[in-house]
């Protein structure tokens, strides 16, 4: 069984990927550097409760949902909207 810390890190990374949020953007929300956020996401430092509150709010979730993990969030239908990919324009044939 994976640790809660590992689960939280994975959930936050998956939420960032789904929504297109970059580390620099989330770091700004948290009032820290991108490097500090990266360090946390890699498990080298622990999350503070206040930071989890901010992360959850940023993604429109509760802290309980964030802690429950990505699969539980998806099963509850609470995933934030996915980032839409811009349409690719195909070059015209010559």
């Amino acid at each position: 069984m994976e640790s809660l810390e590992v689960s939280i890190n994975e959930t936050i990374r998956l939420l960032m990927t789904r929504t297109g949020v970059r580390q620099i953007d989330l770091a700004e929300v948290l009032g820290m550097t991108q490097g500090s956020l990266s360090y946390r996401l890699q498990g080298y430092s622990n999350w503070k409760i206040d930071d989890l509150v901010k992360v959850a709010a940023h993604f429109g979730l509760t802290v309980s949902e964030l802690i429950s993990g990505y699969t539980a969030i998806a099963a509850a239908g609470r995933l934030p909207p996915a980032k839409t990919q811009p349409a690719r324009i195909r070059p015209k044939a010559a």
Side-chain angles (χ1 to χ4, degrees):
M1 184 171 150
E2 70 183 24
S3 74
L4 180 58
E5 192 77 23
V6 170
S7 175
I8 290 170
N9 291 340
E10 179 181 309
T11 299
I12 293 171
R13 283 193 303 271
L14 289 169
L15 290 168
M16 290 172 65
T17 299
R18 177 179 175 80
T19 59
V21 171
R22 301 173 304 159
Q23 282 189 14
I24 191 76
D25 301 325
L26 189 56
E28 187 174 310
V29 167
L30 296 170
M32 65 176 63
T33 66
Q34 182 271 328
S36 294
L37 176 60
S38 177
Y39 214 63
R40 288 213 181 143
L41 289 171
Q42 293 177 53
Y44 294 124
S45 65
N46 295 325
W47 287 97
K48 296 178 180 164
I49 300 284
D50 291 342
D51 290 338
L52 291 179
V53 171
K54 292 176 188 175
V55 170
H58 182 75
F59 290 112
L61 302 168
T62 66
V63 174
S64 296
E65 289 172 320
L66 185 66
I67 291 171
S68 71
Y70 191 87
T71 303
I73 296 167
R78 294 279 295 142
L79 286 174
K83 176 184 173 188
T84 56
Q85 297 295 326
R88 293 196 157 222
I89 299 173
R90 292 184 183 168
K92 292 185 179 184

